[in-house]
Amino acid sequence: MTGWIAVAGLGPGDEALVTPEVAAALAQATDVVGYIPYVARIAPRPGLVLHPSDNRVELDRARAALDMAAAGRRVVIVSSGDPGVFAMASALFEALEDLPQAAHPDIRILPGITAMLAAAARAGAPLGHDFCAINLSDNLKPFEMVEHRLRHAARGDFAMAFYNPRSKARPHQFARVLELLREECGPDRLIIFARAVSTPDEALRVVTLAEAAPEMADMRTVVIVGNFATRRVGRWVYTPRSAAGSATTP
Amino acid sequence: MTGWIAVAGLGPGDEALVTPEVAAALAQATDVVGYIPYVARIAPRPGLVLHPSDNRVELDRARAALDMAAAGRRVVIVSSGDPGVFAMASALFEALEDLPQAAHPDIRILPGITAMLAAAARAGAPLGHDFCAINLSDNLKPFEMVEHRLRHAARGDFAMAFYNPRSKARPHQFARVLELLREECGPDRLIIFARAVSTPDEALRVVTLAEAAPEMADMRTVVIVGNFATRRVGRWVYTPRSAAGSATTP
């Protein structure tokens, strides 16, 4: 029996946002590997072994999946959202570097609805023009790098989506991010706090940078900051397709 | 009968990448509105009226959808990929600005697998660290703005995904983009040309910036440029989760 690995994105939470491609891979799997709350979304069935693991053990999890595939198992590594956006796909390729190429198993990356797209859809279309995605966690990079990227994103007049904006371990850093954004973008720029979109805990809040407070975000929140032209229409927030009137038109 | 509008993302092409949420909206629709090749993906059925329209008439299409919803129709506006990423959602909100809020219909934005996520998944995980998405078309912004954003994206060491990289109307501009990227990122940076991912015309090519040529892209191509740390492992390309070794660590 030939083993394989699929790294699959489960989307933001609602089962109606799981692609048929991912559902088919899960139906063929012998093993599902992933962070505890994501594996908890997979329905148990005979012949399927669930391997939930803790946070911050991504490389161990990837190595375990490679071992299982080498033993002929059909392994799905599950991520929330999209597996290629601040999730398990990179960790798998890092682990793959330890194997000779002849030992690489069959691997497929199965895309999913990443959190910023679900959040943007709920708010309107704040990512309707050029934008960037930044992981605010400093687990894997110095906070100075985060600040450096924020300044370039602001000066390029990109809309921005932030993943992992705030944790108990570093509550002061998101306050610093808001301060930097107020300096670069001014007080009237719109900011969206989208928590747990498509789950029963969903909450959406739109304020200006002047009104934004660090407590509006937690680790289940995606934060979206508009560009110069982002504005409200009724209960919606959107970024026009045209860059006319941008502050940074050279 | 109460009309509504859903702006739905059909994903990059493969029906296995259409979410169940989008499939359900299409099943309830009385009318489907969109650019000709996207409407062509919708299976005809009794009671469903298809309204294909040409490119570059996004605002007219949005106004037609608003009129139909006001008349009690259940309208799905279809976009390729995700409707909030360089697609129809922003155009709908632009058109909505002409209506008093009391006349706003029920609107839902239904996310989809945007082209850069499908392309990244096929290549490996090139967007596994901070990244940005830039529409290279100058239909709606001056090319100087594109250059300005490219420089900030490069100096912030973002990976980059480019939509609409090249058209017959402006063949020289993508050559200029490659030149600018070589200046900013050096000749060895990896660049991915992902054409028509998940369709029968799919083609994937990974080269360095030194090897990249404008003819490698057309309007069905998404281009992804890695960051400083992006590298190959076997047949894959990925960006490590860690920023260690980044050229621009301050």
Side-chain angles (χ1 to χ4, degrees), chain A residues 97 130 141 149 156 231 238, chain B residues 97 130 133 141 149 156 238:
Chain A
E97 297 226 29
D130 301 334
K141 65 187 165 196
R149 291 210 169 116
R231 57 183 187 257
Y238 83 103
Chain B
E97 297 225 31
D130 302 333
K141 65 187 166 200
R149 291 212 168 115
Y238 83 104

Side-chain angles (χ1 to χ4, degrees), chain A residues 16 18 20-21 84 90 94 97 127 129-131 133 135 140-141 148-149 152 155-157 231 238-239 241 243, chain B residues 16 18 20-21 84 90 94 97 127 130-131 133 135 140-141 148-149 152 155-157 231 238-239 241 243:
Chain A
V18 178
E21 182 180 68
S90 283
E94 280 174 54
E97 297 226 29
L127 304 179
H129 198 68
D130 301 334
F131 65 93
N135 186 348
L140 292 161
K141 65 187 165 196
H148 176 78
R149 291 210 169 116
H152 278 293
R155 290 174 191 179
D157 197 31
R231 57 183 187 257
Y238 83 103
T239 302
R241 299 166 302 148
Chain B
V18 178
E21 182 179 69
S90 283
E94 281 174 53
E97 297 225 31
L127 304 178
D130 302 333
F131 65 93
N135 186 348
L140 292 160
K141 65 187 166 200
H148 177 78
R149 291 212 168 115
H152 278 292
R155 291 175 189 178
D157 196 31
R231 58 184 187 256
Y238 83 104
T239 302
R241 299 165 303 147

Side-chain angles (χ1 to χ4, degrees), chain A residues 130-184:
Chain A
D130 301 334
F131 65 93
C132 57
I134 303 178
N135 186 348
L136 293 187
S137 166
D138 64 350
N139 290 344
L140 292 161
K141 65 187 165 196
F143 189 67
E144 292 70 30
M145 169 65 84
V146 172
E147 293 193 324
H148 176 78
R149 291 210 169 116
L150 288 171
R151 287 201 193 280
H152 278 293
R155 290 174 191 179
D157 197 31
F158 286 93
M160 306 173 210
F162 303 140
Y163 287 71
N164 305 313
R166 191 160 177 262
S167 74
K168 280 180 191 159
R170 46 188 174 82
H172 60 287
Q173 287 183 350
F174 187 58
R176 175 68 197 122
V177 166
L178 292 177
E179 195 179 289
L180 185 153
L181 290 169
R182 278 187 289 261
E183 275 170 42
E184 293 283 342

Side-chain angles (χ1 to χ4, degrees), chain A residues 203-230:
Chain A
L204 191 77
R205 189 165 184 176
V206 182
V207 298
T208 64
L209 279 178
E211 296 159 340
E215 308 76 55
M216 293 177 185
D218 64 14
M219 287 306 269
R220 297 185 69 193
T221 307
V222 168
V223 176
I224 297 177
V225 178
N227 77 5
F228 180 80
T230 302

